């Protein structure tokens, strides 16, 4: 059991009808994607043709920020606001789609391939959770 799952299990109040498994998967996918995007942006900065990766770096950093924020929002349940949660998930999903599309244009760099895969997983996790809300 992951720490995320343990924390959800120990929440002292009812989480309502939310699917705990999909919620945990989405939180973990967001955190993994944020890390991958941050590392990819950093790796892009070390490439010889860094000027050609400006859009990729920007997209990575925007996606990392949205994923990290979404994970934090999903981890808070007191005073839950479904509309805010949906908006965060939709923004995260959009950022992940954009980042994956951008990174997939740079598959000559292995870090971009890995990042695109993490973004696609997060995009799918956000979609799966949105379908349950």
């Amino acid at each position: 059991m992951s720490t995320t799952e343990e924390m959800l299990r120990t929440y002292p109040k009812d989480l309502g009808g939310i699917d705990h498994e999909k919620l945990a998967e989405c939180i973990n996918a967001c955190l993994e994607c944020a890390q991958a995007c941050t590392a990819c942006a950093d790796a892009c900065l070390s490439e010889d043709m860094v000027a050609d990766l400006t859009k990729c770096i920007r997209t990575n950093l925007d996606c990392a920020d949205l994923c990290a924020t979404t994970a934090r929002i999903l981890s808070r349940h007191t005073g839950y606001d479904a509309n805010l949660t949906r908006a965060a998930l939709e923004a995260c999903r959009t950022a992940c789609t954009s980042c994956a599309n951008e990174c997939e244009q740079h598959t000559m760099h292995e870090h971009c391939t890995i990042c695109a895969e993490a973004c696609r997983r997060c995009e799918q996790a956000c979609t799966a959770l949105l379908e349950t809300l």
Side-chain angles (χ1 to χ4, degrees):
M1 180 178 288
S2 72
T3 301
T4 302
E5 291 167 319
E6 288 182 76
M7 292 305 294
L8 290 172
R9 181 183 56 75
T10 62
Y11 186 72
K13 302 224 181 206
D14 182 23
L15 292 177
I18 197 160
D19 184 318
H20 291 231
E21 185 178 328
K22 284 188 170 60
L23 177 59
E25 287 172 6
C26 193
I27 291 168
N28 289 332
C30 285
L31 293 171
E32 180 180 88
C33 191
Q35 188 281 326
C37 288
T38 300
C40 188
D42 184 64
C44 285
L45 288 169
S46 295
E47 294 290 348
D48 292 335
M49 303 296 287
V50 68
D52 295 338
L53 297 169
T54 302
K55 184 176 180 189
C56 191
I57 295 164
R58 168 63 190 264
T59 306
N60 283 156
L61 295 175
D62 288 347
C63 189
D65 287 346
L66 280 164
C67 287
T69 298
T70 300
R72 287 192 302 273
I73 289 169
L74 293 176
S75 296
R76 295 189 291 255
H77 306 287
T78 304
Y80 174 73
D81 183 338
N83 291 325
L84 179 60
T85 300
R86 278 189 207 91
L89 285 166
E90 288 169 3
C92 186
R93 179 173 61 181
T94 298
C96 288
T97 300
S98 294
C99 193
N101 290 343
E102 180 62 29
C103 281
E104 286 167 353
Q105 294 180 38
H106 308 285
T107 55
M108 70 288 284
H109 305 298
E110 189 176 7
H111 54 84
C112 284
T113 299
I114 294 166
C115 185
E117 291 167 357
C119 288
R120 292 290 181 211
R121 283 190 300 275
C122 189
E123 174 187 22
Q124 291 167 359
C126 287
T127 298
L129 185 57
L130 273 166
E131 290 171 353
T132 69
L133 299 180

